[in-house]
């Protein structure tokens, strides 16, 4: 693991960790661990670099899962359509705001 960042959601400190080995084992670009309060991301996949914008969009996707958990939306926390749509729009907002 390398490159760790932190943020708060409510009273919980979350970490963002680049862990290519963990993500390659699950053939995934990102994963949210609610029990560890960690968002795992990959910056390479099968030996190839992942574009920065895709890493960022993956982060926002995983962030939506974490937010839904933080606000107690148990029925939505694993909804991939919600996470993908909201994550994509959050990423667009963040990258296009002036």
């Amino acid at each position: 693991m390398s490159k760790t960042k932190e943020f708060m959601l409510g009273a919980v400190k979350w970490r963002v960790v680049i862990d290519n080995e963990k993500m390659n084992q699950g053939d995934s670009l990102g994963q949210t661990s609610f029990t560890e309060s960690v968002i795992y991301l990959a910056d390479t996949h099968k030996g190839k670099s992942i574009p920065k914008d895709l890493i960022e969009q993956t982060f926002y996707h995983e962030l939506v899962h974490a937010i839904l958990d933080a606000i107690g939306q148990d029925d939505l926390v694993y909804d991939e359509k919600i996470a993908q749509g909201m994550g994509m729009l959050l990423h667009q907002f963040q990258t296009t705001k002036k």
Side-chain angles (χ1 to χ4, degrees):
M1 285 191 247
S2 64
K3 302 181 194 173
T4 303
K5 295 187 178 184
E6 297 179 342
F7 63 92
M8 298 292 293
L9 284 180
V12 178
K13 183 185 291 186
W14 280 77
R15 293 182 300 130
V16 181
V17 178
I18 301 294
D19 190 335
N20 293 309
E21 184 177 332
K22 181 178 185 69
M23 294 299 91
N24 283 325
Q25 287 174 354
D27 198 31
S28 178
L29 299 181
Q31 179 182 349
T32 302
S33 173
F34 304 110
T35 56
E36 298 174 292
S37 301
V38 175
I39 293 176
Y40 293 102
L41 299 171
D43 63 3
T44 64
H45 184 70
K46 297 181 180 178
K48 295 184 179 180
S49 293
I50 298 169
K52 181 181 177 220
D53 61 333
L54 181 55
I55 297 168
E56 291 170 352
Q57 188 167 327
T58 302
F59 165 74
Y60 284 108
H61 172 106
E62 299 303 331
L63 178 62
V64 170
H65 285 299
I67 290 170
L68 290 169
D69 181 65
I71 62 174
Q73 291 296 317
D74 298 336
D75 56 330
L76 297 176
V77 74
Y78 296 106
D79 188 317
E80 290 299 318
K81 287 182 181 179
I82 296 282
Q84 186 63 20
M86 293 293 295
M88 183 176 55
L89 291 173
L90 285 168
H91 179 252
Q92 184 180 29
F93 165 76
Q94 184 64 29
T95 58
T96 62
K97 69 181 180 183
K98 295 180 181 182

